[in-house]
């Protein structure tokens, strides 16, 4: 008989208050600007104001990861076919210390739940090519050619909800 799986030592929630949103931006700055050298002036954009941000936080309050969902016109401008029923998952980032704990998958599922709650049919994303396998394991399928974003190779992916 195997031991029951340990409960995760973090929670994932929609970032509703200003402190949670600041924690999301701090994780993004650490991962994208610090580690991946994405210029800070393109990391934050006008979409942040209306996006649904999700946050993974350790039980002691330390932020572990974040992601965002664009919906409506903002998502239609980003997805492959301009369909307003398709959300756009983006800015998924997990801190170095939290990688391998399931935080990224939990954040993707939280974004998908937010998309379902808004009546969306699918979620698109632009995956860094090194992360294609991660998203494929979560049910996403790549489409279209590889393209650069912030100097990093990406592919478009979609999952029907």
């Amino acid at each position: 008989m195997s031991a029951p799986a340990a409960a995760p030592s973090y929670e994932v929630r929609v970032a509703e208050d200003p402190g949670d949103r600041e924690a999301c931006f701090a994780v993004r700055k650490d991962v994208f600007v610090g580690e991946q050298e994405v210029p800070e002036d393109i990391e934050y954009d006008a979409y942040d104001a209306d996006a649904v941000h999700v946050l993974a936080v350790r039980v002691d309050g330390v932020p572990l990861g974040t992601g965002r969902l664009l919906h409506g016109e903002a998502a239609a401008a980003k997805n492959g076919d301009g369909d307003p029923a398709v959300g756009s998952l983006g800015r998924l980032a997990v801190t170095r210390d939290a990688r391998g704990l399931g935080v990224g998958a939990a954040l993707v599922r939280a974004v998908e739940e937010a998309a379902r709650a808004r009546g969306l049919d699918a979620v698109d994303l632009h995956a860094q090519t090194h992360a294609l396998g991660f998203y494929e394991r979560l049910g996403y399928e790549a489409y279209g050619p590889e393209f650069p974003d912030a100097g990093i190779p990406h592919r478009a992916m979609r999952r029907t909800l």
Side-chain angles (χ1 to χ4, degrees):
M1 192 150 109
S2 63
S9 56
Y10 60 88
E11 72 165 342
V12 177
R13 62 181 182 245
V14 172
E16 308 243 7
D17 67 56
D20 278 356
R21 289 177 69 100
E22 285 304 313
C24 291
F25 296 144
V27 169
R28 285 169 48 184
K29 184 172 185 174
D30 181 44
V31 173
F32 295 126
V33 178
E35 287 182 40
Q36 298 183 353
E37 300 179 356
V38 172
E40 195 165 355
D41 62 328
I42 65 170
E43 171 50 31
Y44 307 100
D45 59 29
Y47 295 118
D48 281 325
D50 295 321
V52 177
H53 298 269
V54 294
L55 176 67
V57 183
R58 204 166 62 193
V59 292
D60 62 2
V62 173
L64 301 177
T66 188
R68 76 176 184 187
L69 171 70
L70 303 182
H71 51 92
E73 288 181 26
K78 289 258 192 194
N79 69 44
D81 49 15
D83 187 345
V86 177
S88 178
L89 185 160
R91 302 306 202 264
L92 187 75
V94 176
T95 60
R96 188 184 311 269
D97 292 342
R99 293 178 194 150
L101 302 177
V103 173
L107 287 163
V108 170
R109 295 305 186 219
V111 166
E112 291 170 352
E113 283 305 310
R116 278 188 198 92
R118 285 158 181 77
L120 302 178
D121 298 330
V123 173
D124 256 27
L125 58 88
H126 294 163
Q128 293 181 9
T129 55
H130 72 83
L132 288 171
F134 166 77
Y135 290 111
E136 287 168 346
R137 287 188 294 278
L138 294 173
Y140 287 79
E141 294 181 18
Y143 67 90
E146 186 176 295
F147 60 92
D149 187 0
I152 301 167
H154 285 70
R155 290 275 313 275
M157 301 185 85
R158 178 172 291 181
R159 179 170 186 251
T160 301
L161 298 176

